[in-house]
C-alpha cells in the first residue's frame, strides 16, 4: 500500500459503514546471512556477460542506531528500543558483475510502506494520476539503468514498535532524517554487491551517486536529508509541504476535513504515531464526536493541554521541517543543539545547501497547495549556487478531497509530461546525459487547465522564467490587478459566498497564474459574544456570466484579528493559495469570501458549531497575478 492514493477507497468504506473499526524484522545475524546469500553474484555471471543477470528485488532489514522513541514521545516503556529497525527493498537492474549504477531512493506517502516491484515494460502512461504515476515511475527505474531503493519510514510498514521499529515523528530531522542518513552509510558499504556507483573523488565522505524521489510524506523526507547530508546529488519532491503549521493550520484555523481524513488513513493504514499525534487523531479523527469543536489552533492546544501536553510539544510536531531549517539560517542558529538525541549539528549556524531540485505540486492539492511549493522553490532557489537548476511544475494532481468531489489529474503541466521530465532530470544529474526532454524543463510551469473537470480538461501549462506573486503592473505583459480596499459583512455560513471583483477581462490571452497577495486583512467578530472565534475563508473566484467558479478549489483561512503576513510563516503580505486558470473575455476575477467550507468542516458532525461564524472583513491591497500572454516577453503556453 502506497499511502494517500488509497484514501479514496478507504473513505468510501467509511462512508458506507458510518463508523471506523479500530512483517517482522529479523535479527542482525539473519539479515547478514540473507545478505551474504543474495550478494554472491560471482558464480552466476556467465563468461564475458553475454547473459547478464536479470532485474531483481532484494529485501533487507536494517537497524538504525537511533532509539525508536524520544523523551518527549511519552511511549510505553515496553515498546521502547535502543535502535530502530526498518525495512529496505533494493531494485536491481539487469547487470554484469562490474556494472555500477546511480541509485534513486524513494519513500512512501503517509500510512504507506515501501515499494518492492519492478515494472515490466519501463514506461508510465502519460494520463496516469499524479501520485500513482510517481509510484509507477519508481518501479521503472531499474529498466533505465538505476538501482532503486525504497524503505519504510519509522512507524510505517514493518518499521513499527512491535517489530522493533519506531514511532512516526512526521519526518523529524533528528529521527527520520538520521535513519535515512544511516541508510546512505549502509548503501555505501554495500555498494559493490548492490552495483551502486560510489563517488570516491567527490570530497564527500562515504559518497554515492544518489537522487531522491517520492510524494507527500515521501516528498517531505527529501528536504531534511538533502539539506543535512552532502551525499544527495538531486531531489524530486512531489506534492509536499513547506510548514505543517501552514498546511494543517493555515491562518491558525484547523483544516478539519483533511486532518480527519489523514487520521482515518493512519488508522486503516496501521501507522503507529507517537502518543501526541495519536491523541490528536483521537480528538480530530472521523470517529471523534468533538472534532467539530476543534476549529482553531487555540482549540487544539487547549484540548491537548487538558491531556498534559504543552503548547511547545504540539507546535514542535508541526514545525520541524523546511521552515524550521529556513528560520535557523535566517537567525544564524544551528538547526539543533549539539548533545540532543539525533542531533548531527556541530553547533555552527545552519547554512542552506545548494542542490538541483525539481518540484511537482498540484494546483488543486487542498492539503499541500501551490503556495507550499512556491515557498520551497524560493528556499532552494535562494540557496542554489550559480548554474544549479531549481524548477517547479504544477499539475492537476496531488491530494484530492473526496468530500469535495475532487478527482486527481495527471503529473503533467500542460504538454510537459511529468514522469518523462523526472526521468530526464535523473539522467542529467546522475548520469550526465542531456536530452531534449531535460532541456525543455522550465524554471516555472503553472498548470492553467480549467478548474471545472480539471482532471479531464484540455491540458494547458504556462511556462515562465519566474514565479508571479501579486499584481504584475511593472512587468512587460503584466496586467495591473489590485483592489485598494473593500469591506465584506458575512452572514450565516449556509449563505452563498460573497464575491468581490478586482479585475474585468477586456482582451484575449489573459491568464491568471501565480500567488494572490493581500497587504492587510482584518477579520472582526460580529457573532454573539462568547459563541465562536470567527474564521474567514478566502479563495479566488471567477464570475463568468451567471456562473461563479472557485479557482482550483482553493480556500485559505484567517482567524479573527489583523493579518499582514501568513501566521507562522512570516512572509510580508498574506499569500493565498497559488492558482492557474485561462480567462475568458468578460470574466470578472476577484475574491470569494466564505463563512464555511467543506475543506474546513469536520468529517463527523459537519457544520455543527460553525453556525455562528459571522464576521466583517476588511481587505487592503488585494493583488492578483494576471498576465497578458500576447505581450509577455517570455511566457508561453505549453
Amino acid at each position: 500500500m502506497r499511502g494517500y492514493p488509497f484514501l479514496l477507497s478507504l473513505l468510501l468504506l467509511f462512508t458506507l459503514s458510518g463508523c471506523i473499526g479500530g512483517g517482522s524484522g529479523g535479527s542482525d545475524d539473519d539479515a547478514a546471512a540473507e545478505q551474504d546469500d543474495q550478494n554472491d553474484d560471482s558464480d552466476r555471471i556467465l563468461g564475458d556477460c553475454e547473459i547478464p543477470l536479470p532485474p531483481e528485488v532484494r529485501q533487507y532489514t536494517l537497524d538504525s542506531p537511533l532509539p525508536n522513541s524520544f523523551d518527549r514521545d511519552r511511549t510505553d516503556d515496553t515498546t521502547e528500543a535502543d535502535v530502530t529497525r526498518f525495512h529496505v527493498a533494493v531494485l536491481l537492474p539487469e547487470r554484469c558483475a562490474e556494472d555500477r549504477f546511480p541509485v534513486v531512493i524513494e519513500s512512501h506517502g503517509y500510512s504507506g510502506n515501501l515499494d518492492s516491484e519492478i515494472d515490466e515494460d519501463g514506461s508510465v502512461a502519460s494520463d496516469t494520476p499524479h501520485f500513482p504515476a510517481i509510484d509507477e515511475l519508481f518501479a521503472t527505474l531499474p529498466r533505465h539503468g538505476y538501482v532503486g531503493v525504497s524503505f519504510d519510514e519509522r512507524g510505517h510498514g514493518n518499521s513499527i514498535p512491535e517489530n522493533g521499529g519506531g514511532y512516526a515523528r512526521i519526518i523529524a530531522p533528528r529521527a527520520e532524517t538520521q535513519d535515512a542518513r544511516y541508510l546512505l552509510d549502509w548503501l555505501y558499504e554495500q555498494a559493490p554487491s548492490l552495483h551502486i556507483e560510489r563517488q570516491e573523488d567527490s570530497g564527500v565522505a562515504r559518497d554515492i551517486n544518489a537522487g531522491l524521489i517520492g510524494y507527500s510524506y515521501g516528498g517531505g523526507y527529501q528536504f531534511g536529508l538533502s539539506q543535512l547530508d552532502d551525499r544527495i546529488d538531486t531531489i524530486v519532491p512531489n506534492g509536499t509541504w513547506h510548514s505543517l503549521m501552514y498546511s494543517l493550520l493555515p491562518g491558525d484555523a484547523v483544516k478539519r476535513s483533511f486532518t480527519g481524513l489523514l487520521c482515518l488513513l493512519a488508522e486503516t493504514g496501521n501507522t503507529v504515531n507517537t502518543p501526541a499525534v495519536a491523541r490528536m487523531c483521537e480528538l480530530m479523527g472521523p470517529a471523534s464526536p468533538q472534532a467539530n469543536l476543534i476549529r482553531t489552533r487555540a482549540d487544539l492546544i487547549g484540548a491537548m493541554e487538558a491531556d498534559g501536553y504543552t503548547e511547545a510539544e504540539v507546535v514542535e510536531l508541526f514545525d520541524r521541517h523546511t521552515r524550521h531549517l529556513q528560520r535557523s539560517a535566517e537567525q544564524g542558529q544551528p538547526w539543533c543543539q549539539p548533545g540532543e538525541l539525533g542531533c548531527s549539528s556541530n553547533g555552527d549556524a545552519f547554512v542552506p545547501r545548494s542542490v538541483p531540485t525539481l518540484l511537482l505540486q498540484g494546483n488543486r492539492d487542498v492539503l499541500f497547495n501551490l503556495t507550499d511549493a512556491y515557498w520551497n522553490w524560493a528556499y532552494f532557489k535562494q540557496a542554489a549556487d550559480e548554474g544549479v537548476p531549481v524548477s517547479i511544475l504544477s499539475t492537476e494532481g496531488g491530494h484530492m478531497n473526496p468530500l469535495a468531489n475532487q478527482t486527481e489529474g495527471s503529473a503533467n503541466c500542460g504538454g510537459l509530461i511529468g514522469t518523462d521530465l523526472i526521468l530526464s532530470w535523473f539522467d542529467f544529474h546522475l548520469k550526465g546525459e542531456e536530452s531534449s526532454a531535460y532541456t525543455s524543463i522550465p524554471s516555472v510551469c503553472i498548470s492553467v487547465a480549467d478548474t471545472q473537470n480539471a482532471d479531464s480538461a484540455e491540458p494547458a501549462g504556462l511556462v515562465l522564467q519566474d514565479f508571479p506573486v501579486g499584481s504584475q503592473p511593472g512587468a512587460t505583459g503584466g496586467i495591473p490587478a489590485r483592489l485598494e480596499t473593500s469591506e465584506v459583512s458575512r452572514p450565516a455560513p449556509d449563505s452563498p459566498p460573497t464575491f468581490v471583483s478586482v479585475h474585468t477581462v477586456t482582451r484575449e490571452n489573459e491568464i491568471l497564474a501565480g500567488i494572490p497577495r493581500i497587504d492587510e486583512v482584518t477579520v472582526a467578530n460580529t457573532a454573539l459574544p462568547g459563541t465562536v472565534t470567527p474564521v474567514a475563508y478566502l479563495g479566488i473566484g471567477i464570475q463568468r456570466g451567471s456562473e461563479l467558479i472557485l479557482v482550483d478549489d482553493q480556500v485559505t483561512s484567517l482567524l479573527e484579528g489583523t493579518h499582514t503576513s501568513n501566521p507562522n510563516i512570516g512572509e510580508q503580505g498574506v499569500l493565498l493559495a497559488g492558482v492557474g486558470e485561462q480567462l475568458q473575455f468578460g470574466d470578472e476575477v476577484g475574491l470569494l469570501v466564505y463563512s464555511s467550507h467543506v475543506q474546513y468542516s469536520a468529517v463527523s458532525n459537519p457544520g455543527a458549531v460553525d453556525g455562528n461564524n459571522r464576521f466583517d472583513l476588511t481587505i487592503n491591497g488585494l493583488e492578483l497575478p494576471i498576465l497578458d500572454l500576447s505581450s509577455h516577453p517570455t511566457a508561453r503556453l505549453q
Side-chain angles (χ1 to χ4, degrees):
M1 184 181 65
R2 299 298 309 129
Y4 173 75
F6 196 54
L7 176 61
L8 297 180
S9 57
L10 292 176
L11 178 70
L12 177 60
L13 290 174
F14 171 71
T15 304
L16 292 175
S17 64
C19 63
I20 300 179
S24 66
S27 68
D28 292 341
D29 290 342
D30 290 341
E34 175 189 10
Q35 179 178 312
D36 289 342
D37 290 341
Q38 291 174 332
N39 289 344
D40 187 7
D41 287 343
S42 58
D43 61 350
R44 300 169 62 192
I45 301 296
L46 302 179
D48 59 358
C49 201
E50 293 180 358
I51 306 177
L53 287 168
E56 175 188 0
V57 178
R58 298 179 183 174
Q59 303 273 2
Y60 298 94
T61 302
L62 306 184
D63 284 344
S64 167
L66 277 177
N68 69 345
S69 64
F70 286 60
D71 291 341
R72 296 176 72 176
D73 289 345
R74 303 185 183 184
T75 56
D76 182 346
D77 289 344
T78 62
T79 58
E80 293 182 359
D82 292 334
V83 297
T84 300
R85 178 158 292 172
F86 63 99
H87 291 249
V88 178
V90 179
L91 285 59
L92 294 171
E94 184 177 84
R95 62 209 179 278
C96 296
E98 301 305 318
D99 284 341
R100 298 293 179 265
F101 305 95
V103 61
V104 174
I105 304 170
E106 181 254 19
S107 197
H108 49 76
Y110 182 66
S111 88
N113 61 300
L114 59 78
D115 264 329
S116 59
E117 295 184 2
I118 297 175
D119 181 78
E120 290 297 326
D121 64 6
S123 64
V124 181
S126 62
D127 60 352
T128 301
H130 185 162
F131 285 175
I134 301 306
D135 287 337
E136 291 188 28
L137 175 64
F138 175 74
T140 72
L141 290 179
R143 304 290 181 185
H144 297 283
Y146 293 93
V147 174
V149 173
S150 184
F151 68 104
D152 287 336
E153 300 282 358
R154 57 173 63 206
H156 292 77
N158 280 313
S159 180
I160 55 178
E162 66 183 69
N163 295 337
Y167 293 84
R169 304 197 80 247
I170 323 297
I171 311 296
R174 293 193 290 124
E176 282 90 348
T177 299
Q178 303 307 315
D179 294 340
R181 297 189 72 193
Y182 173 72
L183 173 62
L184 291 173
D185 290 341
W186 181 83
L187 290 172
Y188 176 84
E189 294 298 330
Q190 303 303 318
S193 59
L194 296 179
H195 298 266
I196 292 171
E197 179 185 355
R198 286 175 170 169
Q199 296 181 311
E200 303 288 17
D201 298 327
S202 68
V204 176
R206 303 164 69 82
D207 199 8
I208 56 176
N209 190 7
L212 307 179
I213 193 171
Y215 59 78
S216 193
Y217 206 76
Y221 93 97
Q222 299 178 51
F223 291 106
L225 185 57
S226 68
Q227 290 300 283
L228 301 179
D229 200 300
D230 292 343
R231 290 173 288 187
I232 300 305
D233 297 296
T234 188
I235 63 174
V236 184
N238 288 254
T240 194
W241 67 93
H242 177 74
S243 165
L244 288 178
M245 291 295 292
Y246 169 77
S247 301
L248 296 178
L249 289 87
D252 284 336
V254 178
K255 197 178 286 183
R256 288 175 292 172
S257 180
F258 236 109
T259 55
L261 295 177
L262 288 172
C263 289
L264 169 63
L265 194 60
E267 182 169 344
T268 54
N270 196 36
T271 298
V272 181
N273 288 305
T274 64
V277 177
R279 179 53 183 157
M280 281 192 279
C281 275
E282 290 175 359
L283 293 167
M284 298 188 294
S288 170
Q290 65 191 95
N292 60 304
L293 301 175
I294 302 177
R295 302 172 60 252
T296 69
R297 170 176 169 164
D299 294 337
L300 175 60
I301 297 298
M304 292 295 288
E305 286 180 336
D307 287 326
Y309 292 95
T310 66
E311 181 172 3
E313 286 178 284
V314 176
V315 171
E316 196 264 342
L317 291 169
F318 295 104
D319 195 33
R320 48 167 71 137
H321 201 247
T322 314
R323 179 58 191 148
H324 168 72
L325 296 175
Q326 184 179 36
R327 188 166 51 247
S328 298
E330 291 169 350
Q331 297 173 353
Q333 300 292 324
W335 68 270
C336 63
Q337 295 304 313
E340 288 183 318
L341 181 61
C343 179
S344 57
S345 170
N346 61 5
D348 292 340
F350 171 73
V351 177
R353 179 173 176 261
S354 176
V355 58
T357 302
L358 175 60
L359 295 148
L360 281 80
Q361 199 95 354
N363 284 30
R364 296 180 302 119
D365 189 320
V366 292
L367 178 59
F368 306 138
N369 64 43
L370 190 54
T371 300
D372 267 303
Y374 162 73
W375 279 320
N376 287 332
W377 175 83
Y379 169 87
F380 282 101
K381 197 83 171 173
Q382 184 175 11
D385 296 334
E386 184 176 355
V388 174
V390 177
S391 292
I392 182 171
L393 310 177
S394 84
T395 76
E396 295 299 331
H399 300 86
M400 302 287 103
N401 189 341
L403 300 175
N405 299 313
Q406 287 188 302
T407 302
E408 187 178 17
S410 72
N412 309 330
C413 185
L416 297 176
I417 308 303
T419 51
D420 290 349
L421 299 190
I422 293 171
L423 182 59
S424 73
W425 183 273
F426 284 139
D427 286 345
F428 181 81
H429 291 286
L430 299 181
K431 294 182 179 180
E433 298 174 0
E434 185 173 298
S435 64
S436 59
Y438 177 77
T439 57
S440 73
I441 299 174
S443 177
V444 176
C445 180
I446 299 175
S447 177
V448 292
D450 292 341
T451 293
Q452 297 167 311
N453 303 310
D455 60 298
S456 57
E458 183 70 22
L462 184 66
V463 171
L464 298 160
Q465 292 182 348
D466 205 353
F467 207 115
V469 177
S471 180
Q472 307 289 299
T476 303
I479 294 178
R482 178 180 168 92
L483 178 67
E484 290 303 330
T485 187
S486 182
E487 295 182 356
V488 172
S489 183
R490 282 298 303 164
D494 58 357
S495 60
T498 301
F499 178 67
V500 179
S501 181
V502 175
H503 173 74
T504 301
V505 178
T506 59
R507 71 198 93 180
E508 302 293 336
N509 299 311
E510 292 191 19
I511 296 181
L512 170 70
I515 311 292
R517 180 185 179 278
I518 307 176
D519 290 344
E520 182 180 88
V521 183
T522 298
V523 182
N525 193 349
T526 60
L528 296 174
T531 52
V532 298
T533 300
V535 181
Y537 304 103
L538 311 179
I540 301 303
I542 297 174
Q543 183 76 60
R544 184 170 291 164
S546 61
E547 190 173 28
L548 192 57
I549 301 167
L550 173 62
V551 179
D552 288 332
D553 304 324
Q554 293 289 356
V555 293
T556 300
S557 58
L558 288 170
L559 261 63
E560 179 180 13
T562 296
H563 306 273
T564 57
S565 62
N566 295 85
N568 310 306
I569 297 294
E571 185 89 10
Q572 287 300 308
V574 176
L575 302 191
L576 303 184
V579 291
E581 190 90 0
Q582 296 182 82
L583 302 174
Q584 299 180 15
F585 184 86
D587 281 351
E588 293 283 334
V589 190
L591 186 72
L592 282 173
V593 185
Y594 297 82
S595 299
S596 64
H597 197 276
V598 64
Q599 294 174 28
Y600 290 82
S601 298
V603 176
S604 60
N605 301 322
V609 180
D610 294 331
N612 288 315
N613 188 36
R614 294 174 170 85
F615 56 87
D616 286 342
L617 186 75
T618 302
I619 304 160
N620 294 312
L622 168 59
E623 299 184 351
L624 303 181
I626 300 179
L627 306 174
D628 180 357
L629 186 60
S630 63
S631 61
H632 197 285
T634 60
R636 70 180 190 279
L637 281 177
Q638 180 69 45

